[in-house]
């Protein structure tokens, strides 16, 4: 069941894809309301790729129904088994829950009459270990795989310090923050193909990633220093989901999709149709 390795490779690539956000610019006005955000990225291989769908149908028709459904069950069990890696890590993947970064930044920000920078310290993310595998589907005849994973909640905590120039004066401020994400859903749809001149060698035809954030709550406490700068930062934080996540997460999703697309295709070059059936 080496197709399971493809899914695990995707998970490992996602776990090691650390965000490198720099020079974040906030809009002049900050929206206070919050609504669910959804991002959708789809990549497709060139239509010129050679495929053998007819051979695929013939090949998998030779398998019985139990063998075909067993593939999806193995993939689901492999995802469930990844929970131990999330909690304890391994030689390739660090502990993901809790996930801790001592320092991030500096991040640059601008607003009307304001230019400054901020650093984030003691960044901590918890809740990933409670992920649920909603469903896994595998169509052996069409070589398609679909899965959906839901993380019921994620909590991010940390502290910040900021320095900004406002009205020709320098202001310093700092405090703690907490971000609560309610229901993060990640869906992935994969379609494979096979090269007729490669003995049925597999390649990735399509990778479709969908991320849905149901709701997010951001709070700040223990702020000190400039009340003016703290008020500005508080307003910017309340708009992060609407402004930053909407622009940055879409970029991150696009980059991640491209990296996974190429990485999975590179991984599949040593596998054929026979490897899927074990």
């Amino acid at each position: 069941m080496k197709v399971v390795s493809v899914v695990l490779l995707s998970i490992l690539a996602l776990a090691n894809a650390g965000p490198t956000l720099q020079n974040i610019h906030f809009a002049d006005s900050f929206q206070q309301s919050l609504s669910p955000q959804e991002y959708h990225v789809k990549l497709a291989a060139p239509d010129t790729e050679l495929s053998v769908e007819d051979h695929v149908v013939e090949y998998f028709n030779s398998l019985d129904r139990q063998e075909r459904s067993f593939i999806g069950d193995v993939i689901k069990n492999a995802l469930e088994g990844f929970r131990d890696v999330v909690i304890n890590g391994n030689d390739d993947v660090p502990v993901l829950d809790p996930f801790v970064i001592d320092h991030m930044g500096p991040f640059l920000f601008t607003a009307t009459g304001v230019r400054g920078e901020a650093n984030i310290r003691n960044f901590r993310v918890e809740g990933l270990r409670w992920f649920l595998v909603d469903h896994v589907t595998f169509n052996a005849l069409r070589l398609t795989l679909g899965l959906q994973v839901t993380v019921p909640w994620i909590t991010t905590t940390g502290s910040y310090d900021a320095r900004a120039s406002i009205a020709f004066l320098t202001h310093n401020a700092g405090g703690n923050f907490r971000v609560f994400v309610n229901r993060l859903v990640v869906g992935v749809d994969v379609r494979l193909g096979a090269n007729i001149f490669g003995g049925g060698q597999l390649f990735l035809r399509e990778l479709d990633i969908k991320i849905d954030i149901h709701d997010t709550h951001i709070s700040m406490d223990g702020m000190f220093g400039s009340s003016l700068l703290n008020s500005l930062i508080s307003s910017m934080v309340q708009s992060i989901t609407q402004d930053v996540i909407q622009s940055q997460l879409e970029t991150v999703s696009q980059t991640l999709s491209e990296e996974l697309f190429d990485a999975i295709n590179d991984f599949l070059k040593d596998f054929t149709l026979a490897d899927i059936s074990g």
Side-chain angles (χ1 to χ4, degrees):
M1 293 304 181
K2 297 180 181 179
V3 69
V4 175
S5 302
V6 176
V7 178
L8 294 179
L9 175 65
S10 301
I11 296 173
L12 293 177
L14 177 61
N16 287 285
T20 56
L21 305 181
Q22 296 180 352
N23 300 330
I24 296 178
H25 296 279
F26 294 92
D28 290 342
S29 60
F30 306 103
Q31 301 178 22
Q32 302 300 316
S33 61
L34 187 64
S35 61
Q37 299 296 322
E38 183 176 290
Y39 307 101
H40 185 211
V41 177
K42 183 173 183 179
L43 298 175
D47 293 334
T48 55
E49 293 283 0
L50 294 173
S51 62
V52 285
E53 276 76 7
D54 291 340
H55 292 73
V56 172
V57 172
E58 180 181 355
Y59 179 81
F60 279 103
N61 276 337
S62 66
L63 304 177
D64 59 37
R65 182 175 181 180
Q66 183 177 2
E67 286 178 311
R68 281 178 267 170
S69 62
F70 181 68
I71 295 175
D73 293 336
V74 169
I75 294 173
K76 184 174 182 178
N77 291 335
L79 288 171
E80 290 288 357
F82 187 67
R83 195 182 312 275
D84 181 69
V85 177
V86 171
I87 298 173
N88 300 307
N90 58 27
D91 293 339
D92 300 313
V93 181
V95 173
L96 300 178
D97 188 7
F99 180 71
V100 180
I101 300 178
D102 293 332
H103 176 257
M104 298 170 60
F107 302 102
L108 304 180
F109 63 89
T110 60
T112 303
V114 179
R115 293 182 60 86
E117 66 178 40
N119 292 278
I120 296 177
R121 307 183 190 280
N122 303 317
F123 182 80
R124 183 183 180 93
V125 181
E126 299 177 86
L128 186 58
R129 69 180 64 192
W130 306 116
F131 73 86
L132 304 172
V133 181
D134 298 323
H135 65 256
V136 177
T137 59
F138 179 73
N139 187 317
L141 299 182
R142 292 183 56 83
L143 281 180
T144 59
L145 167 68
L147 64 91
Q148 178 176 294
V149 177
T150 297
V151 183
W153 60 269
I154 295 178
T155 299
T156 301
T157 57
S159 61
Y160 77 93
D161 58 76
R163 178 185 180 90
S165 298
I166 305 175
F168 305 105
L169 297 176
T170 299
H171 293 251
N172 296 284
N176 303 316
F177 66 86
R178 178 178 180 270
V179 180
F180 180 79
V181 176
N182 176 32
R183 191 174 175 81
L184 170 66
V185 182
V186 179
V188 179
D189 290 304
V190 174
R191 184 185 176 201
L192 299 175
N195 194 311
I196 191 172
F197 297 115
Q201 176 188 324
L202 296 173
F203 64 91
L204 186 61
R205 294 182 63 88
E206 294 182 3
L207 175 62
D208 192 353
I209 297 178
K210 182 178 181 181
I211 302 175
D212 178 59
I213 300 175
H214 184 269
D215 188 26
T216 304
H217 177 71
I218 304 173
S219 61
M220 305 182 69
D221 57 44
M223 294 187 292
F224 61 88
S226 169
S227 59
L228 180 61
L229 182 54
N230 276 324
S231 177
L232 175 64
I233 292 175
S234 181
S235 296
M236 287 191 291
V237 167
Q238 294 301 323
S239 69
I240 283 180
T241 301
Q242 296 292 65
D243 296 320
V244 178
I245 292 183
Q246 184 172 359
S247 61
Q248 297 296 333
L249 185 56
E250 187 172 4
T251 300
V252 171
S253 297
Q254 178 72 33
T255 302
L256 177 62
S257 299
E258 292 173 352
E259 290 181 353
L260 286 178
F261 193 87
D262 295 337
I264 293 174
N265 263 325
D266 184 64
F267 179 78
L268 286 174
K269 65 184 180 181
D270 298 322
F271 295 90
T272 64
L273 288 171
D275 296 313
I276 296 181
S277 65

